[in-house]
DNA sequence: AACCCGGGGTT
DNA sequence: AACCCAGGGTT
């Protein structure tokens, strides 16, 4: 019978002790700090999120302060960090926690908005008591390489295999340094391009390295070709202000402020005419393209000067050009507006 | 600028 | 199980 692979965990725990990160501000026993850090670390590196983390905690020192805050101020503090759905989910979860207290196990954590299986596992491990596998991008990379898993990692069956493998590798003790070590190793040594195998504690047991295929892993099956989608947007300005609409929470750029948008330019002109009447003067046209996972978005932007603006409403408002940089806008819209108002 | 990537949510 | 969404990193 094959014995349990303890060499993997042992090597990581030992490496973590000497080379891992030990002084991160959320390495404490405050579940609020740990939860916030894990959300901010989704799709984001430590060096990027660190100043945001500090700023966020100064503004919202505990979960009750966060729960009581207005969504707008949460989004404003999050501004610049990207992936704004994380901020919306964080706020929604804060309200639940303020009412019902912090979850006491991973399964309960995972029912909360923005907390998936891996994040729930990490939070409960670092907050103390949890004993679960994690499987984020770093861990996937380490596992597919050390065990030479060549199946495409964007397939459910492979993900399932990786979870099983991660479960089987869990050590009985030292779960915190093990988990932190796995994350740190993937982030600093077993990186996607140019892995630093000479500095890796697993290099001797790494099957991908033995076979010389570490750079080809993890493997993904190709994605379908992207289509192109055309839309029309209106940039309506009044002195140094621009007319923005709040987007619905579902769909792209959910909950962010953006320009009025229609499928076709004719529809857009109709809308502008109805909304602003003859107070609008057509100016130049602009355009941009933005690529999503599944399609290229091509936007034609009709610019109008407006001399008599309508008043704001909950879902539409005028924004000063000075407020654009810190506002919750989609990245391409922010870029376009900053360019438009640039001196 | 093109290409690659990966977390949670939705269907 | 497959697809959707978002923005940063790398080349």
């Amino acid at each position: 019978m094959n014995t349990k692979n303890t060499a993997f965990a042992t090597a990581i725990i030992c490496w973590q002790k000497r080379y891992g990160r030990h002084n991160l501000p959320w390495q404490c026993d405050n579940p609020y700090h740990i939860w916030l850090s894990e959300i901010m670390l989704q799709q984001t590196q430590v060096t990027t999120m660190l100043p945001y983390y500090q700023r966020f905690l100064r503004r919202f020192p505990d979960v009750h302060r966060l729960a009581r805050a207005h969504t707008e101020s949460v989004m404003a503090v999050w501004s610049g960090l990207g992936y704004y759905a994380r901020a919306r989910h964080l706020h929604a979860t804060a309200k639940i926690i303020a009412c019902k207290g912090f979850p006491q196990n991973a399964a309960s954590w995972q029912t909360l908005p923005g907390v998936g299986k891996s994040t729930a596992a990490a939070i409960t491990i670092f907050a103390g008591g949890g004993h679960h596998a994690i499987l984020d991008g770093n861990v996937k990379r380490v596992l597919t390489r050390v065990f030479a898993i060549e199946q495409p990692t964007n397939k459910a069956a492979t993900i399932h295999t990786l979870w099983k493998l991660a479960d089987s590798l869990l050590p009985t003790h030292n779960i915190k340094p093990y988990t932190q070590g796995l994350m740190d190793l993937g982030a600093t040594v077993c990186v996607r391009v140019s892995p630093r195998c000479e500095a890796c504690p697993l290099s001797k047991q790494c099957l991908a390295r033995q076979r010389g295929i570490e750079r080809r892993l993890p493997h993904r099956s190709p994605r379908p070709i992207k289509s192109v989608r055309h839309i029309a947007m209106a940039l309506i300005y009044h002195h140094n202000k621009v007319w923005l609409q709040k987007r619905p929470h579902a769909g792209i750029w959910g909950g962010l402020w953006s320009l009025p948008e229609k499928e076709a330019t004719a529809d857009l002109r109709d809308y502008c005419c109805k909304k602003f009447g003859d107070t609008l003067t057509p100016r130049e046209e602009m355009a941009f393209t933005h690529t999503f996972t599944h399609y290229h978005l091509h936007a034609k932007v009709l610019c109008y000067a407006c001399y008599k603006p309508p008043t704001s409403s909950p879902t539409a408002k005028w924004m000063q050009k000075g407020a654009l940089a810190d506002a919750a806008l989609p990245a391409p819209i922010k870029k376009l507006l900053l360019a438009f108002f640039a001196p």
Side-chain angles (χ1 to χ4, degrees):
Chain A
M1 296 304 288
N2 55 343
T3 53
K4 186 174 166 68
N5 181 350
T6 55
F8 182 86
T10 305
I12 286 176
I13 293 165
C14 184
W15 177 87
Q16 163 67 16
K17 207 169 184 176
R18 275 188 71 181
Y19 302 105
R21 296 178 279 205
H22 296 94
N23 294 309
L24 298 170
W26 50 87
Q27 289 175 330
C28 59
D29 56 7
N30 183 328
Y32 176 60
H33 293 194
I34 292 166
W35 162 53
L36 175 64
S37 74
E38 287 301 329
I39 300 302
M40 283 192 167
L41 284 167
Q42 289 170 355
Q43 319 277 54
T44 310
Q45 297 185 355
V46 169
T47 52
T48 304
M49 61 76 91
L50 205 43
Y52 291 90
Y53 174 82
Q54 309 282 18
R55 187 158 60 113
F56 197 96
L57 279 187
R58 278 198 299 276
R59 180 70 178 73
F60 307 112
D62 58 66
V63 68
H64 298 282
R65 297 283 291 273
L66 177 57
R68 288 200 303 268
H70 293 289
T71 303
E72 283 297 305
S73 60
V74 178
M75 300 305 273
V77 177
W78 197 274
S79 179
L81 197 50
Y83 300 103
Y84 295 93
R86 293 185 299 174
R88 283 203 315 279
H89 290 144
L90 190 82
H91 194 209
T93 291
K95 290 176 178 174
I96 297 171
I97 292 176
C99 185
K100 303 168 73 172
F102 282 98
Q104 295 303 309
N105 56 60
S108 305
W109 269 108
Q110 206 189 325
T111 65
L112 297 172
V115 181
K117 188 177 179 185
S118 190
T119 300
I123 292 171
T124 52
I125 289 164
F126 294 129
H131 196 271
H132 310 278
I134 61 164
L135 190 66
D136 64 6
N138 289 326
V139 180
K140 278 181 194 158
R141 203 161 50 247
V142 172
L143 293 185
T144 52
R145 284 174 175 167
V146 173
F147 298 93
I149 294 168
E150 301 186 53
Q151 289 91 344
T153 55
N154 54 341
K155 295 295 176 192
T158 313
I159 302 288
H160 183 75
T161 301
L162 289 169
W163 272 113
K164 287 292 178 199
L165 179 58
D167 284 337
S168 78
L169 293 167
L170 269 193
T172 311
H173 305 292
N174 295 312
I175 187 73
K176 279 191 201 182
Y178 170 76
T179 305
Q180 187 67 53
L182 254 183
M183 292 171 160
D184 291 355
L185 190 69
T188 64
V189 173
C190 194
V191 292
R192 189 168 66 87
V193 284
S194 310
R196 302 166 48 226
C197 298
E198 69 288 349
C200 181
L202 301 168
S203 60
K204 283 204 179 73
Q205 50 183 300
C206 181
L207 296 181
R209 179 161 165 81
Q210 287 172 23
R211 299 173 193 176
I213 58 172
E214 68 273 13
R215 283 160 186 271
R216 296 212 302 272
L217 296 179
H219 169 74
R220 264 160 273 271
S221 53
R223 302 185 185 209
I225 309 271
K226 295 183 177 73
S227 58
V228 182
R229 191 177 156 232
H230 293 269
I231 59 165
M233 299 183 123
L235 196 171
I236 299 164
Y237 63 97
H238 177 73
H239 300 303
N240 281 332
K241 297 193 284 279
V242 60
W243 182 248
L244 297 178
Q245 287 184 339
K246 186 152 188 153
R247 298 184 61 91
H249 285 297
I252 67 166
W253 301 332
L256 302 190
W257 292 92
S258 186
L259 300 176
E261 167 190 328
K262 297 284 179 191
E263 301 247 331
T265 51
D267 297 342
L268 187 67
R269 286 199 184 90
D270 285 349
Y271 163 82
C272 292
C273 202
K274 284 205 179 81
K275 181 84 189 169
F276 295 88
D278 56 5
T279 70
L280 291 184
T281 309
R283 301 292 187 186
E284 75 267 39
E285 281 188 13
M286 301 173 80
F288 69 88
T289 52
H290 184 75
T291 301
F292 293 96
T293 311
H294 289 82
Y295 62 92
H296 304 282
L297 181 72
H298 186 89
K300 182 190 252 188
V301 184
L302 309 179
C303 303
Y304 295 95
C306 175
Y307 71 81
K308 189 162 174 264
T311 52
S312 299
S313 75
T315 56
K317 67 176 179 184
W318 293 93
M319 184 177 284
Q320 286 282 351
K321 76 169 185 182
L324 292 170
D326 291 328
L329 309 172
I333 301 296
K334 184 178 285 193
K335 189 177 161 192
L336 177 95
L337 292 177
L338 289 176
F340 179 81
F341 284 112

